[in-house]
Amino acid sequence: MRRPKSQEPSTQSRQVEAGASDGEGGDTDVTQQETAPVPALSKETQQPKECFLIQPRETKEDATKTRKRRKKKITDVLAKSEPKPGTPEDLQKLMQDYYSSRRAVIELEELNLPVCPKWVKLRKNHSEKKSVVMLIICGSASRALELIRSMTAFRGDSKVIKLFAKHIKVQEQVKMLEKRVVHLGVGTPGRIKELIKQGGLNLNPLKFLVFDWNWRDQKLRRMMDIPEIRKEVFELVEMGVLSLCKSGSLKLGLF
């Protein structure tokens, strides 16, 4: 059956209905997008928690083991011992111990050297260049400078020369010894040895050789407690000091 014309929908009504249907569909889509639930984070995607490592506490047994493993140092031994003034017997014993494996018994008996316990007059008709009347041997350059400053009243108007390697070249010291007469030299055994080898220092006019025996450094070591310096001292002794002591022209002193 055909529908009457009055009942057929017009073109405008069909467009309005279509537009209305389209509008409702679009609103529905927007509403669905806005109200879409946010997916919850699963346990696997959650951020990890911070972790702190706790160090185990040190027990008394561990502390005891650590103390037992610690080796004794010469500083610890020297800190417990009271400093004593040096004596001629101390130097004699060290020389005997050092040369006992290198010399025969008869040669060891010849090492009984005269030791001067006190300083006497420095200047007595000394007019030779490239030499000194008194030579003081120290363990370091800083100690040598300290001694030079402390003996201002003692040395008087006598000439003093620094005989160490700190900021001073060997050739400069050789020139100074050649230019003028020097009465007192203060330095380290290594540099004094080098000056003797190069002919810049003559030991024959030397009257007194003094060792800075009792001074201790920050580690409470004396000059002769340090193996390197002790070796250089005995090498210096072998470079003419022994023969001068035997002849009686040179005396040793401990400061």
Side-chain angles (χ1 to χ4, degrees), residues 39-89:
L41 293 174
S42 62
K43 293 183 179 180
E44 296 180 357
T45 59
Q46 289 181 358
Q47 295 182 356
K49 296 181 180 180
E50 294 183 358
C51 180
F52 298 95
L53 296 177
I54 301 175
Q55 295 182 355
R57 294 182 179 179
E58 185 179 2
T59 60
K60 293 183 179 179
E61 296 179 358
D62 297 336
T64 306
K65 290 180 181 179
T66 306
R67 283 195 291 269
K68 287 182 179 179
R69 291 173 187 172
R70 184 173 177 271
K71 295 181 179 180
K72 286 187 177 181
K73 297 181 180 180
I74 188 172
T75 308
D76 301 331
V77 179
L78 294 174
K80 295 179 180 178
S81 63
E82 297 181 359
K84 298 180 181 179
T87 60
E89 289 75 16

